[in-house]
Amino acid sequence: MALTLILFLSILFPSVLPVSKVAVQSGRSVTIPCLYDREYDYHVKYWCHGSNWNFCKTVVRTDSPKRTGKTSITDDPTHHVFTVTMTTLTTWDSGCYWCAVEIQRATDKGAYLYLSVTAGPPGLWVEQQEVAGVEGGSVSVPCHYNEKSSMKKWCRIEGSCVEVNSGESGRSDMKDDHSKKVFTEMVRELKFEDPGWYWCAAGELQIPVHLTVTQKTTTTTVTTQGVQPHTGAREDRSNKLTTLKMK
């Protein structure tokens, strides 16, 4: 089954965009969420291929057929995010891409990404990019890497980071197992405000993880012995935090 990875981008003006580098194994799929300001909710969004911002080739747009070959695009103005999915990746898909928003009578805005499709396992990967927990419980996220010497981090998008073996930081604890080449992030006592996008990083590579937290509620069940409380999970509290920031 193809593993879908969510990539993180942040948007500034094209001339000063940071370079993001992501590696994905051949044959798998990748989904890229792009965050934008609410003022662009109903602007056209598009996915562009090429290293030069001024001459990149549009692959797919939100105002035309939303799938071209193995690439599709979906806009979600409610959460100010559009996503691009590329399936069945091959080494020919490696290269420079842009998440972009069309600006009428002004310069479009975009965020740059270099995608490397590798024949073997990439330099950083996760077993599951979607992680779910229950309010008050905990979740663990193992992040696998190849280079032992690279700096490892766990960060919340547009938030704080925890470095490997830095010990406990609030409800967060991250440890590195050099022998297995995996560092694991544990988040305890999950709260209502925890859902959203996070990422683990090793060196220059990043792999995102989306956390969903369901609310722990108490209901009652009538039995022959009386009324007994029990708990269950309801209401998906997923927070659609995203990554492509338009200014």
Side-chain angles (χ1 to χ4, degrees), residues 140-169:
S140 294
V141 183
C143 305
H144 303 262
Y145 60 88
N146 289 334
E147 298 295 331
K148 291 184 179 181
S149 60
S150 60
M151 175 62 70
K152 292 90 175 178
K153 294 182 179 180
W154 169 264
C155 302
R156 180 160 192 167
I157 290 301
E158 299 181 342
S160 60
C161 295
V162 178
E163 294 186 6
V164 72
N165 291 331
S166 59
E168 295 186 10
S169 177

PDB file of all heavy atoms in Angstrom, residues 140-169:
ATOM      1  N   SER A 140       2.739   7.935  20.451  1.00  0.00           N
ATOM      2  CA  SER A 140       4.169   7.834  20.157  1.00  0.00           C
ATOM      3  C   SER A 140       4.355   7.839  18.650  1.00  0.00           C
ATOM      4  O   SER A 140       3.613   7.174  17.923  1.00  0.00           O
ATOM      5  CB  SER A 140       4.771   6.557  20.751  1.00  0.00           C
ATOM      6  OG  SER A 140       4.743   6.592  22.159  1.00  0.00           O
ATOM      7  N   VAL A 141       5.354   8.577  18.182  1.00  0.00           N
ATOM      8  CA  VAL A 141       5.637   8.688  16.746  1.00  0.00           C
ATOM      9  C   VAL A 141       7.090   8.315  16.498  1.00  0.00           C
ATOM     10  O   VAL A 141       8.002   9.070  16.839  1.00  0.00           O
ATOM     11  CB  VAL A 141       5.372  10.108  16.223  1.00  0.00           C
ATOM     12  CG1 VAL A 141       5.607  10.164  14.711  1.00  0.00           C
ATOM     13  CG2 VAL A 141       3.967  10.563  16.575  1.00  0.00           C
ATOM     14  N   PRO A 142       7.371   7.128  15.925  1.00  0.00           N
ATOM     15  CA  PRO A 142       8.747   6.751  15.584  1.00  0.00           C
ATOM     16  C   PRO A 142       9.142   7.340  14.234  1.00  0.00           C
ATOM     17  O   PRO A 142       8.404   7.230  13.255  1.00  0.00           O
ATOM     18  CB  PRO A 142       8.689   5.226  15.529  1.00  0.00           C
ATOM     19  CG  PRO A 142       7.268   4.912  15.180  1.00  0.00           C
ATOM     20  CD  PRO A 142       6.413   6.024  15.710  1.00  0.00           C
ATOM     21  N   CYS A 143      10.307   7.975  14.174  1.00  0.00           N
ATOM     22  CA  CYS A 143      10.827   8.573  12.941  1.00  0.00           C
ATOM     23  C   CYS A 143      12.147   7.887  12.596  1.00  0.00           C
ATOM     24  O   CYS A 143      13.099   7.923  13.382  1.00  0.00           O
ATOM     25  CB  CYS A 143      11.046  10.078  13.127  1.00  0.00           C
ATOM     26  SG  CYS A 143       9.583  10.986  13.685  1.00  0.00           S
ATOM     27  N   HIS A 144      12.198   7.254  11.431  1.00  0.00           N
ATOM     28  CA  HIS A 144      13.362   6.476  11.014  1.00  0.00           C
ATOM     29  C   HIS A 144      14.294   7.326  10.150  1.00  0.00           C
ATOM     30  O   HIS A 144      13.840   8.104   9.314  1.00  0.00           O
ATOM     31  CB  HIS A 144      12.909   5.246  10.221  1.00  0.00           C
ATOM     32  CG  HIS A 144      11.967   4.361  10.983  1.00  0.00           C
ATOM     33  ND1 HIS A 144      12.392   3.225  11.641  1.00  0.00           N
ATOM     34  CD2 HIS A 144      10.627   4.450  11.193  1.00  0.00           C
ATOM     35  CE1 HIS A 144      11.357   2.642  12.221  1.00  0.00           C
ATOM     36  NE2 HIS A 144      10.274   3.367  11.966  1.00  0.00           N
ATOM     37  N   TYR A 145      15.604   7.151  10.337  1.00  0.00           N
ATOM     38  CA  TYR A 145      16.587   7.952   9.608  1.00  0.00           C
ATOM     39  C   TYR A 145      17.759   7.088   9.170  1.00  0.00           C
ATOM     40  O   TYR A 145      17.938   5.954   9.629  1.00  0.00           O
ATOM     41  CB  TYR A 145      17.073   9.111  10.477  1.00  0.00           C
ATOM     42  CG  TYR A 145      17.730   8.681  11.773  1.00  0.00           C
ATOM     43  CD1 TYR A 145      19.092   8.407  11.838  1.00  0.00           C
ATOM     44  CD2 TYR A 145      16.975   8.552  12.942  1.00  0.00           C
ATOM     45  CE1 TYR A 145      19.697   8.012  13.026  1.00  0.00           C
ATOM     46  CE2 TYR A 145      17.569   8.153  14.137  1.00  0.00           C
ATOM     47  CZ  TYR A 145      18.931   7.887  14.174  1.00  0.00           C
ATOM     48  OH  TYR A 145      19.508   7.490  15.346  1.00  0.00           O
ATOM     49  N   ASN A 146      18.597   7.661   8.273  1.00  0.00           N
ATOM     50  CA  ASN A 146      19.770   6.943   7.781  1.00  0.00           C
ATOM     51  C   ASN A 146      21.076   7.482   8.348  1.00  0.00           C
ATOM     52  O   ASN A 146      22.005   6.728   8.622  1.00  0.00           O
ATOM     53  CB  ASN A 146      19.835   6.992   6.250  1.00  0.00           C
ATOM     54  CG  ASN A 146      18.750   6.145   5.602  1.00  0.00           C
ATOM     55  OD1 ASN A 146      18.273   5.185   6.204  1.00  0.00           O
ATOM     56  ND2 ASN A 146      18.347   6.496   4.393  1.00  0.00           N
ATOM     57  N   GLU A 147      21.169   8.812   8.509  1.00  0.00           N
ATOM     58  CA  GLU A 147      22.403   9.441   8.960  1.00  0.00           C
ATOM     59  C   GLU A 147      22.381   9.635  10.476  1.00  0.00           C
ATOM     60  O   GLU A 147      21.615  10.430  10.998  1.00  0.00           O
ATOM     61  CB  GLU A 147      22.600  10.793   8.259  1.00  0.00           C
ATOM     62  CG  GLU A 147      22.742  10.694   6.752  1.00  0.00           C
ATOM     63  CD  GLU A 147      24.001   9.939   6.343  1.00  0.00           C
ATOM     64  OE1 GLU A 147      24.991   9.985   7.102  1.00  0.00           O
ATOM     65  OE2 GLU A 147      23.986   9.311   5.271  1.00  0.00           O
ATOM     66  N   LYS A 148      23.262   8.916  11.188  1.00  0.00           N
ATOM     67  CA  LYS A 148      23.282   8.998  12.645  1.00  0.00           C
ATOM     68  C   LYS A 148      23.710  10.371  13.143  1.00  0.00           C
ATOM     69  O   LYS A 148      23.295  10.824  14.193  1.00  0.00           O
ATOM     70  CB  LYS A 148      24.228   7.938  13.210  1.00  0.00           C
ATOM     71  CG  LYS A 148      23.751   6.505  13.040  1.00  0.00           C
ATOM     72  CD  LYS A 148      24.698   5.538  13.717  1.00  0.00           C
ATOM     73  CE  LYS A 148      24.214   4.100  13.583  1.00  0.00           C
ATOM     74  NZ  LYS A 148      25.122   3.144  14.257  1.00  0.00           N
ATOM     75  N   SER A 149      24.557  11.053  12.390  1.00  0.00           N
ATOM     76  CA  SER A 149      25.143  12.300  12.870  1.00  0.00           C
ATOM     77  C   SER A 149      24.232  13.513  12.695  1.00  0.00           C
ATOM     78  O   SER A 149      24.509  14.579  13.222  1.00  0.00           O
ATOM     79  CB  SER A 149      26.467  12.568  12.131  1.00  0.00           C
ATOM     80  OG  SER A 149      26.245  12.683  10.731  1.00  0.00           O
ATOM     81  N   SER A 150      23.156  13.382  11.939  1.00  0.00           N
ATOM     82  CA  SER A 150      22.313  14.534  11.664  1.00  0.00           C
ATOM     83  C   SER A 150      21.487  14.936  12.889  1.00  0.00           C
ATOM     84  O   SER A 150      21.150  14.116  13.728  1.00  0.00           O
ATOM     85  CB  SER A 150      21.375  14.241  10.486  1.00  0.00           C
ATOM     86  OG  SER A 150      20.548  13.144  10.783  1.00  0.00           O
ATOM     87  N   MET A 151      21.178  16.230  12.985  1.00  0.00           N
ATOM     88  CA  MET A 151      20.369  16.738  14.087  1.00  0.00           C
ATOM     89  C   MET A 151      18.926  16.274  13.924  1.00  0.00           C
ATOM     90  O   MET A 151      18.357  16.363  12.833  1.00  0.00           O
ATOM     91  CB  MET A 151      20.426  18.263  14.107  1.00  0.00           C
ATOM     92  CG  MET A 151      19.514  18.900  15.152  1.00  0.00           C
ATOM     93  SD  MET A 151      19.957  18.437  16.846  1.00  0.00           S
ATOM     94  CE  MET A 151      21.503  19.339  17.012  1.00  0.00           C
ATOM     95  N   LYS A 152      18.331  15.772  15.002  1.00  0.00           N
ATOM     96  CA  LYS A 152      16.938  15.322  14.956  1.00  0.00           C
ATOM     97  C   LYS A 152      16.072  16.257  15.776  1.00  0.00           C
ATOM     98  O   LYS A 152      16.452  16.658  16.884  1.00  0.00           O
ATOM     99  CB  LYS A 152      16.781  13.895  15.470  1.00  0.00           C
ATOM    100  CG  LYS A 152      17.416  12.826  14.580  1.00  0.00           C
ATOM    101  CD  LYS A 152      18.835  12.563  14.982  1.00  0.00           C
ATOM    102  CE  LYS A 152      19.438  11.422  14.188  1.00  0.00           C
ATOM    103  NZ  LYS A 152      20.849  11.185  14.548  1.00  0.00           N
ATOM    104  N   LYS A 153      14.887  16.551  15.257  1.00  0.00           N
ATOM    105  CA  LYS A 153      13.958  17.436  15.941  1.00  0.00           C
ATOM    106  C   LYS A 153      12.522  16.974  15.742  1.00  0.00           C
ATOM    107  O   LYS A 153      12.206  16.287  14.771  1.00  0.00           O
ATOM    108  CB  LYS A 153      14.084  18.877  15.411  1.00  0.00           C
ATOM    109  CG  LYS A 153      15.394  19.560  15.690  1.00  0.00           C
ATOM    110  CD  LYS A 153      15.378  20.987  15.150  1.00  0.00           C
ATOM    111  CE  LYS A 153      16.678  21.704  15.433  1.00  0.00           C
ATOM    112  NZ  LYS A 153      16.652  23.096  14.908  1.00  0.00           N
ATOM    113  N   TRP A 154      11.678  17.391  16.671  1.00  0.00           N
ATOM    114  CA  TRP A 154      10.224  17.240  16.553  1.00  0.00           C
ATOM    115  C   TRP A 154       9.631  18.629  16.757  1.00  0.00           C
ATOM    116  O   TRP A 154       9.885  19.280  17.763  1.00  0.00           O
ATOM    117  CB  TRP A 154       9.704  16.259  17.592  1.00  0.00           C
ATOM    118  CG  TRP A 154       8.213  16.241  17.732  1.00  0.00           C
ATOM    119  CD1 TRP A 154       7.468  16.923  18.660  1.00  0.00           C
ATOM    120  CD2 TRP A 154       7.277  15.508  16.935  1.00  0.00           C
ATOM    121  NE1 TRP A 154       6.129  16.650  18.487  1.00  0.00           N
ATOM    122  CE2 TRP A 154       5.986  15.784  17.433  1.00  0.00           C
ATOM    123  CE3 TRP A 154       7.414  14.643  15.851  1.00  0.00           C
ATOM    124  CZ2 TRP A 154       4.841  15.231  16.884  1.00  0.00           C
ATOM    125  CZ3 TRP A 154       6.266  14.091  15.307  1.00  0.00           C
ATOM    126  CH2 TRP A 154       5.000  14.370  15.811  1.00  0.00           C
ATOM    127  N   CYS A 155       8.860  19.111  15.783  1.00  0.00           N
ATOM    128  CA  CYS A 155       8.351  20.479  15.844  1.00  0.00           C
ATOM    129  C   CYS A 155       6.868  20.522  15.519  1.00  0.00           C
ATOM    130  O   CYS A 155       6.363  19.697  14.747  1.00  0.00           O
ATOM    131  CB  CYS A 155       9.075  21.385  14.847  1.00  0.00           C
ATOM    132  SG  CYS A 155      10.869  21.464  15.062  1.00  0.00           S
ATOM    133  N   ARG A 156       6.214  21.500  16.092  1.00  0.00           N
ATOM    134  CA  ARG A 156       4.854  21.806  15.670  1.00  0.00           C
ATOM    135  C   ARG A 156       4.942  22.895  14.606  1.00  0.00           C
ATOM    136  O   ARG A 156       5.756  23.803  14.711  1.00  0.00           O
ATOM    137  CB  ARG A 156       4.001  22.280  16.847  1.00  0.00           C
ATOM    138  CG  ARG A 156       2.575  22.595  16.418  1.00  0.00           C
ATOM    139  CD  ARG A 156       1.604  22.600  17.574  1.00  0.00           C
ATOM    140  NE  ARG A 156       0.235  22.625  17.052  1.00  0.00           N
ATOM    141  CZ  ARG A 156      -0.832  22.383  17.782  1.00  0.00           C
ATOM    142  NH1 ARG A 156      -0.712  22.083  19.062  1.00  0.00           N
ATOM    143  NH2 ARG A 156      -2.040  22.412  17.244  1.00  0.00           N
ATOM    144  N   ILE A 157       4.102  22.787  13.590  1.00  0.00           N
ATOM    145  CA  ILE A 157       4.132  23.780  12.533  1.00  0.00           C
ATOM    146  C   ILE A 157       3.917  25.165  13.131  1.00  0.00           C
ATOM    147  O   ILE A 157       2.975  25.398  13.876  1.00  0.00           O
ATOM    148  CB  ILE A 157       3.045  23.478  11.479  1.00  0.00           C
ATOM    149  CG1 ILE A 157       3.419  22.228  10.709  1.00  0.00           C
ATOM    150  CG2 ILE A 157       2.883  24.647  10.518  1.00  0.00           C
ATOM    151  CD1 ILE A 157       4.735  22.302  10.001  1.00  0.00           C
ATOM    152  N   GLU A 158       4.817  26.083  12.780  1.00  0.00           N
ATOM    153  CA  GLU A 158       4.777  27.457  13.277  1.00  0.00           C
ATOM    154  C   GLU A 158       4.771  27.489  14.811  1.00  0.00           C
ATOM    155  O   GLU A 158       4.161  28.356  15.438  1.00  0.00           O
ATOM    156  CB  GLU A 158       3.572  28.214  12.711  1.00  0.00           C
ATOM    157  CG  GLU A 158       3.596  28.320  11.197  1.00  0.00           C
ATOM    158  CD  GLU A 158       2.409  29.080  10.643  1.00  0.00           C
ATOM    159  OE1 GLU A 158       1.405  29.241  11.359  1.00  0.00           O
ATOM    160  OE2 GLU A 158       2.494  29.531   9.497  1.00  0.00           O
ATOM    161  N   GLY A 159       5.449  26.501  15.410  1.00  0.00           N
ATOM    162  CA  GLY A 159       5.509  26.436  16.861  1.00  0.00           C
ATOM    163  C   GLY A 159       6.894  26.054  17.329  1.00  0.00           C
ATOM    164  O   GLY A 159       7.881  26.184  16.610  1.00  0.00           O
ATOM    165  N   SER A 160       6.995  25.550  18.544  1.00  0.00           N
ATOM    166  CA  SER A 160       8.280  25.225  19.149  1.00  0.00           C
ATOM    167  C   SER A 160       8.766  23.842  18.726  1.00  0.00           C
ATOM    168  O   SER A 160       8.002  23.029  18.218  1.00  0.00           O
ATOM    169  CB  SER A 160       8.170  25.302  20.675  1.00  0.00           C
ATOM    170  OG  SER A 160       7.197  24.382  21.141  1.00  0.00           O
ATOM    171  N   CYS A 161      10.070  23.592  18.953  1.00  0.00           N
ATOM    172  CA  CYS A 161      10.688  22.317  18.606  1.00  0.00           C
ATOM    173  C   CYS A 161      11.313  21.675  19.837  1.00  0.00           C
ATOM    174  O   CYS A 161      11.673  22.350  20.798  1.00  0.00           O
ATOM    175  CB  CYS A 161      11.783  22.515  17.556  1.00  0.00           C
ATOM    176  SG  CYS A 161      11.211  23.110  15.952  1.00  0.00           S
ATOM    177  N   VAL A 162      11.439  20.353  19.792  1.00  0.00           N
ATOM    178  CA  VAL A 162      12.140  19.589  20.809  1.00  0.00           C
ATOM    179  C   VAL A 162      13.253  18.830  20.107  1.00  0.00           C
ATOM    180  O   VAL A 162      13.018  18.176  19.087  1.00  0.00           O
ATOM    181  CB  VAL A 162      11.202  18.597  21.532  1.00  0.00           C
ATOM    182  CG1 VAL A 162      11.980  17.778  22.556  1.00  0.00           C
ATOM    183  CG2 VAL A 162      10.060  19.340  22.207  1.00  0.00           C
ATOM    184  N   GLU A 163      14.490  18.918  20.622  1.00  0.00           N
ATOM    185  CA  GLU A 163      15.605  18.203  20.032  1.00  0.00           C
ATOM    186  C   GLU A 163      15.766  16.838  20.683  1.00  0.00           C
ATOM    187  O   GLU A 163      15.387  16.636  21.832  1.00  0.00           O
ATOM    188  CB  GLU A 163      16.897  19.010  20.172  1.00  0.00           C
ATOM    189  CG  GLU A 163      16.882  20.302  19.376  1.00  0.00           C
ATOM    190  CD  GLU A 163      18.220  21.013  19.420  1.00  0.00           C
ATOM    191  OE1 GLU A 163      19.187  20.435  19.979  1.00  0.00           O
ATOM    192  OE2 GLU A 163      18.294  22.140  18.910  1.00  0.00           O
ATOM    193  N   VAL A 164      16.339  15.910  19.922  1.00  0.00           N
ATOM    194  CA  VAL A 164      16.474  14.548  20.394  1.00  0.00           C
ATOM    195  C   VAL A 164      17.326  14.493  21.657  1.00  0.00           C
ATOM    196  O   VAL A 164      18.279  15.248  21.833  1.00  0.00           O
ATOM    197  CB  VAL A 164      17.075  13.647  19.291  1.00  0.00           C
ATOM    198  CG1 VAL A 164      18.551  13.939  19.078  1.00  0.00           C
ATOM    199  CG2 VAL A 164      16.856  12.181  19.597  1.00  0.00           C
ATOM    200  N   ASN A 165      16.923  13.589  22.580  1.00  0.00           N
ATOM    201  CA  ASN A 165      17.617  13.372  23.845  1.00  0.00           C
ATOM    202  C   ASN A 165      17.732  14.634  24.692  1.00  0.00           C
ATOM    203  O   ASN A 165      18.634  14.772  25.517  1.00  0.00           O
ATOM    204  CB  ASN A 165      19.021  12.792  23.605  1.00  0.00           C
ATOM    205  CG  ASN A 165      18.965  11.369  23.080  1.00  0.00           C
ATOM    206  OD1 ASN A 165      18.032  10.622  23.365  1.00  0.00           O
ATOM    207  ND2 ASN A 165      19.954  10.992  22.290  1.00  0.00           N
ATOM    208  N   SER A 166      16.823  15.576  24.484  1.00  0.00           N
ATOM    209  CA  SER A 166      16.827  16.797  25.295  1.00  0.00           C
ATOM    210  C   SER A 166      16.039  16.596  26.584  1.00  0.00           C
ATOM    211  O   SER A 166      15.897  17.515  27.384  1.00  0.00           O
ATOM    212  CB  SER A 166      16.223  17.962  24.501  1.00  0.00           C
ATOM    213  OG  SER A 166      14.895  17.670  24.108  1.00  0.00           O
ATOM    214  N   GLY A 167      15.498  15.392  26.756  1.00  0.00           N
ATOM    215  CA  GLY A 167      14.716  15.086  27.954  1.00  0.00           C
ATOM    216  C   GLY A 167      13.287  15.554  27.784  1.00  0.00           C
ATOM    217  O   GLY A 167      12.857  15.954  26.707  1.00  0.00           O
ATOM    218  N   GLU A 168      12.537  15.503  28.866  1.00  0.00           N
ATOM    219  CA  GLU A 168      11.136  15.882  28.820  1.00  0.00           C
ATOM    220  C   GLU A 168      10.992  17.390  28.687  1.00  0.00           C
ATOM    221  O   GLU A 168      11.739  18.158  29.274  1.00  0.00           O
ATOM    222  CB  GLU A 168      10.404  15.397  30.068  1.00  0.00           C
ATOM    223  CG  GLU A 168      10.352  13.882  30.179  1.00  0.00           C
ATOM    224  CD  GLU A 168       9.510  13.423  31.344  1.00  0.00           C
ATOM    225  OE1 GLU A 168       8.823  14.281  31.946  1.00  0.00           O
ATOM    226  OE2 GLU A 168       9.532  12.218  31.655  1.00  0.00           O
ATOM    227  N   SER A 169      10.031  17.805  27.876  1.00  0.00           N
ATOM    228  CA  SER A 169       9.718  19.219  27.712  1.00  0.00           C
ATOM    229  C   SER A 169       8.208  19.359  27.816  1.00  0.00           C
ATOM    230  O   SER A 169       7.489  19.148  26.843  1.00  0.00           O
ATOM    231  CB  SER A 169      10.228  19.734  26.351  1.00  0.00           C
ATOM    232  OG  SER A 169       9.862  21.089  26.159  1.00  0.00           O
TER     233      SER A 169
END
